[in-house]
Amino acid sequence: MSTGTRTGAEAPEPYAADTHDLIRVHGARENNLRDVSIEIPKRRLTVFTGVSGSGKSSLVFDTVAAESQRLINETYSAFVQGFMPSVARPDVDVLDGLTTAIIVDQQRMGADPRSTVGTATDTNAMLRILFSRLGKPHIGSAKAFSFNVASISGAGAVTVERGGTTVKERRSFSITGGMCPRCEGRGAVSDIDLTQLFDDTKSLAEGAITVPGYTGDGWMTRIFSGSGFLDPDKPIRDYTEQELRDFLHREPTKVKVNGINLTYEGLIPKVQKSILSKDREAMQPHIRAFVDRAVTFTACPECDGTRLTEAARSSKIGGISIADACRMQISDLAAWVRDLDEPSVAPLLAALRQTLDSFVEIGLGYLSLERPAGTLSGGEAQRVKMIRHLGSSLTDVTYVFDEPSTGLHPHDIRRMNGLLRQLRDKGNTVLVVEHKPEVIAIADHVVDLGPGAGSAGGTVCFEGSVEGLRAAGTVTGRHLDDRASVKRTVRTPTGRLAVRGASAHNLRDVDVDIPLGVLVVVTGVAGSGKSSLVHGSIPAGEGVVSVDQSPIRGSRRSNPATYTGLLEPIRKAFAKANGVKPALFSANSEGACPTCNGAGVVYTDLAMMAGVATTCEDCEGRRFDASVLEYHLGGRDISEVLAMPVTEAEAFFAAGEAKVPAAHRILTRLVDVGLGYVSLGQPLTTLSGGERQRLKLATHMGDKGGVYVLDEPTTGLHLADVEQLLALLDRLVDSGKSVIVVEHHQAVMAHADWIIDLGPGAGHDGGRIVFEGTPADLVADRSTLTAQHLAEYVGA
């Protein structure tokens, strides 16, 4: 083969395929975007920044990533598309140059009690195969090690057509599963306090059942009364032994009540199926309060919380059972797997090692595989989702990240930056929505949205390099190099909260006195035990207001007015002013437009095609019946009030004919947390992560309590919004409250009166207090990772 080259010849024409190096977006109008047109370079790291609510997620997730996923879904057959979520095309004129998008967002992982870190990442699946091949004694297939598979057996006659004749044969089958029969693979059993289920001095007709939803005239109670097993007029304490057994424990039985065929079941199994089988965090507040009163959860005594049968725990490799492996810290498990040398399962061991090493590389080596997925923070869940992409051979893919620095100590952010660069250097396009200056600094290209939030945002203020952003004069550019100075004079504590022998999770018998009446920041690397110390030692309850990171749940019918309880006093004020019922002023009740049922839009389902939402022609999207809009308060109807921004509504309800003190108090709190631009009726589904966090904070500010416990309140906040948050925390402390904040943001640390630093590492390398004192003392100390990063931040 000749390797000669032509001299003096012209350079070859570039391939047309090589010119497609931009993702072009023209005329994007999703949510608050105002005809945004930008060009995003491919195979580069692009950071989208701007104040919370400026339109970053609308551009990146709801436009670019959503259209990419929609186009991929359209490549499947109509049959397959019928099983997939159908999404409408984003409101945009042109989207060109898209590549396959992989979204790594902060949505919490499934909170099913059987979902663990191991099952969510398929690591458990590999471990099960490993133990089914190498475990001694051998107990069966991989199913025998799964806590989601129950052991089952059966036998019977089957009829088979064979050669034109019908033959009857006896068949039997058995499946050996690993599910503990006592706790059914949940690892915990519940004991129910019967006194919280019913009042034994009353009869069924008098409303003896005290479970939420079991009202005296409700269907649930009518099934008990009309079943024929019980006397509805006899007090429960007078029941015979058989009646009590039927009332509490009877197996499902077909009965006829008022001529209707129904299934009767004892109260305890009914409550277990309808309430206790659900995730506690997903419950409505009144049902969660009932569960907390009525049920105590303890580790299953039969499997010791491992979820597995005795047989599954008896099969071991080198003295380690699968239950032991899942309980190990992942960094230790990775070392154990690395020492296994078995050629017969070499490919499996290689894949398992790679997955476990990815956990350690991404900063999650402190977790264990048995950790319930629902207990992970938003940042941890996002990094767990990243694991399957780190070793991927795919290139020319668009990775979309939603604030990957969430929940990370400055020390961990450097490691995350390395991972983002690693994905880019493999030839991928990396799009990151982010506020932290450390992440913005590594960008190849920056897009700054703003200038404000909500209706004041939605435009591109700057596109270019990081250096260009610094000189651009935008809100982000001005605040990019902001460095809070360490507080020199600190407040004097008014008391102490003594914590003794704290040992939750990885804490090692921690003794600490938390000062009260001041701003206390609890910090340390991710996994060092901060949340375990704060939430485990200061439970929410009498005098304690806890604002954690659990997400706000709400449908498109939920909005800030309904979520905060603001709508209640507004409805009553409208009703009083017009002499009618308050229910008329609810779009979810009697006042709803009959055509769209108060949704404001009419949805048309088109099977595997994206459904079409059209504005209701009768109410023109206002959601209320026309007759309701004739009633006014202060010259405004209810739909006009719900369309107001919070700042306008605060002035409206402050004085004059529309003065409603209860509504004004709630609106003042919304302004305090920086949500003045959000309209009262804006659906919760359209709020950004930072806006939802602040909405939750505003709601809890109305709770009665002397101690506020906040879990990373800077999540989703722009650099400019952090100043406003610090001012709010100062106001809370100055009003006599004690504020305890779990936080990584250096500006919050520098602003604290007292810092408690946990570490020195994560998992079993943490769980100890490595520093207590003022921010100035911490900077001078320089002995911990936090001290080094804070000193670097303040330029000391």
Side-chain angles (χ1 to χ4, degrees):
M1 180 178 168
S2 171
T3 56
T5 56
R6 289 187 300 163
T7 56
E10 292 182 12
E13 285 290 317
Y15 286 104
D18 294 335
T19 63
H20 296 285
D21 54 1
L22 292 172
I23 297 173
R24 281 178 281 271
V25 182
H26 291 287
R29 292 176 294 276
E30 200 66 26
N31 294 332
N32 68 330
L33 296 179
R34 301 187 192 177
D35 273 322
V36 166
S37 298
I38 61 165
E39 293 184 340
I40 305 165
K42 287 186 186 175
R43 293 174 286 281
R44 297 291 182 272
L45 175 58
T46 302
V47 172
F48 294 79
T49 187
V51 296
S52 181
S54 60
K56 304 180 297 297
S57 295
S58 299
L59 178 59
V60 180
F61 289 93
D62 300 342
T63 305
V64 177
E67 178 66 355
S68 172
Q69 294 212 314
R70 186 185 73 84
L71 293 173
I72 291 167
N73 288 357
E74 283 191 351
T75 64
Y76 297 109
S77 67
F79 173 76
V80 174
Q81 287 184 54
F83 295 97
M84 302 174 81
S86 57
V87 288
R89 185 181 187 278
D91 189 2
V92 59
D93 294 333
V94 178
L95 266 174
D96 191 20
L98 293 176
T99 67
T100 304
I102 294 175
I103 297 174
V104 189
D105 60 15
Q106 286 194 46
Q107 290 295 321
R108 292 299 179 97
M109 300 183 78
D112 187 282
R114 288 201 183 90
S115 178
T116 65
V117 169
T119 59
T121 57
D122 295 336
T123 316
N124 262 34
M126 289 188 272
L127 271 180
R128 291 199 297 268
I129 299 168
L130 183 69
F131 274 86
S132 70
R133 301 295 187 275
L134 303 182
K136 297 285 189 299
H138 177 74
I139 61 165
S141 69
K143 288 180 180 177
F145 296 92
S146 171
F147 53 76
N148 286 325
V149 178
S151 294
I152 187 171
S153 61
V158 295
T159 304
V160 184
E161 291 282 344
R162 202 177 278 153
T165 60
T166 303
V167 182
K168 282 196 172 181
E169 293 181 358
R170 182 166 179 79
R171 298 268 179 91
S172 63
F173 74 95
S174 69
I175 297 171
T176 304
M179 179 190 287
C180 168
R182 171 78 190 273
C183 64
E184 296 183 344
R186 288 192 174 91
V189 289
S190 55
D191 291 325
I192 298 177
D193 180 358
L194 296 181
T195 61
Q196 298 295 331
L197 300 189
F198 57 85
D199 180 351
D200 65 356
T201 62
K202 295 180 179 176
S203 66
L204 290 172
E206 293 168 332
I209 302 177
T210 54
V211 179
Y214 288 70
T215 53
D217 57 349
W219 258 112
M220 299 291 196
T221 306
R222 278 156 71 182
I223 293 172
F224 280 98
S225 301
S227 64
F229 301 124
L230 310 168
D231 180 352
D233 298 313
K234 184 196 285 190
I236 290 173
R237 63 164 52 155
D238 297 335
Y239 279 5
T240 64
E241 196 173 317
Q242 181 61 44
E243 284 177 321
L244 198 59
R245 194 178 302 115
D246 287 338
F247 176 53
L248 293 177
H249 302 289
R250 192 175 181 102
E251 293 295 310
T253 309
K254 294 289 182 190
V255 296
K256 191 169 260 190
V257 179
N258 298 341
I260 302 169
N261 290 322
L262 297 167
T263 301
Y264 174 88
E265 190 174 18
L267 183 61
I268 288 176
K270 206 174 189 71
V271 167
Q272 282 175 327
K273 286 177 186 173
S274 64
I275 297 178
L276 302 187
S277 62
K278 295 176 182 169
D279 171 43
R280 180 187 171 280
E281 294 306 313
M283 294 174 180
Q284 293 173 288
H286 70 288
I287 294 178
R288 192 185 309 158
F290 161 73
V291 170
D292 291 343
R293 283 196 316 271
V295 186
T296 55
F297 293 94
T298 54
C300 174
E302 208 158 293
C303 67
D304 192 27
T306 63
R307 308 161 180 253
L308 293 161
T309 59
E310 189 175 348
R313 303 196 306 274
S314 69
S315 181
K316 298 184 178 181
I317 302 172
I320 299 289
S321 70
I322 191 169
D324 299 330
C326 290
R327 277 196 166 163
M328 279 185 194
Q329 186 165 302
I330 288 174
S331 55
D332 296 340
L333 180 61
W336 178 73
V337 171
R338 212 173 289 120
D339 291 338
L340 293 178
D341 183 19
E342 184 59 52
S344 64
V345 289
L348 176 65
L349 284 172
L352 186 54
R353 284 183 195 121
Q354 184 182 345
T355 302
L356 294 173
D357 288 342
S358 294
F359 271 103
V360 178
E361 187 183 352
I362 209 165
L364 292 176
Y366 61 86
L367 296 178
S368 62
L369 294 181
E370 70 170 9
R371 171 90 174 257
T375 64
L376 297 178
S377 70
E380 286 171 333
Q382 185 174 30
R383 283 180 283 154
V384 165
K385 292 175 196 170
M386 276 182 77
I387 283 165
R388 63 180 64 238
H389 304 304
L390 287 182
S392 171
S393 301
L394 287 172
T395 61
D396 262 328
V397 170
T398 299
Y399 285 97
V400 187
F401 291 96
D402 186 9
E403 294 187 44
S405 67
T406 296
L408 291 185
H409 188 271
H411 167 72
D412 300 308
I413 291 177
R414 290 187 179 173
R415 184 186 282 167
M416 175 61 72
N417 283 347
L419 295 171
L420 294 175
R421 285 190 180 117
Q422 184 183 322
L423 286 172
R424 175 202 63 190
D425 293 345
K426 281 167 59 178
N428 297 305
T429 305
V430 181
L431 309 182
V432 183
V433 172
E434 189 52 87
H435 295 295
K436 291 277 175 70
E438 300 98 314
V439 181
I440 296 172
I442 67 162
D444 302 312
H445 188 71
V446 180
V447 178
D448 187 21
L449 282 99
S455 57
T459 59
V460 175
C461 300
F462 173 80
E463 261 191 284
S465 66
V466 179
E467 288 309 313
L469 176 65
R470 282 195 170 94
T474 65
V475 176
T476 307
R478 289 198 304 274
H479 288 276
L480 196 58
D481 292 317
D482 278 4
R483 294 293 180 267
S485 55
V486 170
K487 188 185 277 188
R488 295 297 170 194
T489 57
V490 295
R491 300 179 181 92
T492 306
T494 56
R496 301 272 167 184
L497 181 66
V499 175
R500 297 289 178 265
S503 55
H505 301 307
N506 67 329
L507 294 176
R508 303 190 177 187
D509 282 326
V510 169
D511 293 337
V512 63
D513 290 324
I514 301 174
L516 297 177
V518 296
L519 176 58
V520 178
V521 169
V522 180
T523 189
V525 296
S528 59
K530 303 179 298 297
S531 296
S532 301
L533 175 66
V534 172
H535 294 301
S537 308
I538 316 168
E542 194 64 36
V544 177
V545 178
S546 183
V547 186
D548 59 16
Q549 283 199 23
S550 58
I552 286 178
R553 289 178 171 86
S555 67
R556 58 178 175 258
R557 287 179 175 270
S558 305
N559 53 50
T562 58
Y563 181 78
T564 58
L566 171 66
L567 201 56
E568 194 63 30
I570 291 177
R571 284 202 302 256
K572 287 177 178 173
F574 265 94
K576 187 176 179 183
N578 294 282
V580 291
K581 290 192 295 185
L584 280 176
F585 302 99
S586 169
N588 298 327
S589 186
E590 291 182 30
C593 164
T595 307
C596 62
N597 291 323
V601 288
V602 177
Y603 291 90
T604 307
D605 183 16
L606 298 176
M608 78 284 182
M609 304 292 287
V612 176
T614 51
T615 304
C616 175
E617 293 179 3
D618 286 4
C619 67
E620 296 177 345
R622 288 196 288 253
R623 304 175 61 200
F624 291 90
D625 191 294
S627 61
V628 175
L629 300 180
E630 293 173 9
Y631 300 116
H632 290 80
L633 177 69
R636 305 282 186 103
D637 65 42
I638 185 69
S639 70
E640 289 171 332
V641 167
L642 290 176
M644 286 182 183
V646 168
T647 43
E648 186 184 333
E650 187 203 17
F652 179 74
F653 288 110
E657 184 192 339
K659 184 176 181 180
V660 182
H664 185 255
R665 275 195 302 274
I666 296 171
L667 289 162
T668 304
R669 291 198 290 269
L670 288 172
V671 171
D672 282 345
V673 297
L675 291 177
Y677 59 88
V678 174
S679 63
L680 304 187
Q682 185 174 338
L684 284 190
T685 50
T686 65
L687 295 182
S688 69
E691 287 168 336
R692 293 185 195 197
Q693 175 94 341
R694 284 183 285 166
L695 182 63
K696 189 189 223 181
L697 177 58
T699 307
H700 284 289
M701 279 172 62
D703 296 349
K704 294 277 189 292
V707 179
Y708 279 73
V709 178
L710 310 180
D711 196 347
E712 296 189 38
T714 60
T715 300
L717 289 191
H718 185 266
L719 300 160
D721 297 322
V722 172
E723 291 180 11
Q724 190 168 5
L725 176 73
L726 291 174
L728 171 65
L729 298 180
D730 276 341
R731 283 201 299 277
L732 282 172
V733 175
D734 293 339
S735 68
K737 311 284 188 190
S738 301
V739 179
I740 301 165
V741 183
V742 175
E743 190 54 81
H744 294 291
H745 202 295
Q746 295 102 316
V748 182
M749 292 183 211
H751 200 74
D753 297 307
W754 191 258
I755 288 184
I756 298 172
D757 189 14
L758 279 95
H764 59 46
D765 297 324
R768 294 188 291 268
I769 301 237
V770 291
F771 177 84
E772 287 181 83
T774 65
D777 293 339
L778 180 63
V779 169
D781 180 71
R782 306 255 179 143
S783 63
T784 70
L785 285 169
T786 305
Q788 292 160 21
H789 284 279
L790 184 59
E792 186 182 321
Y793 175 82
V794 298

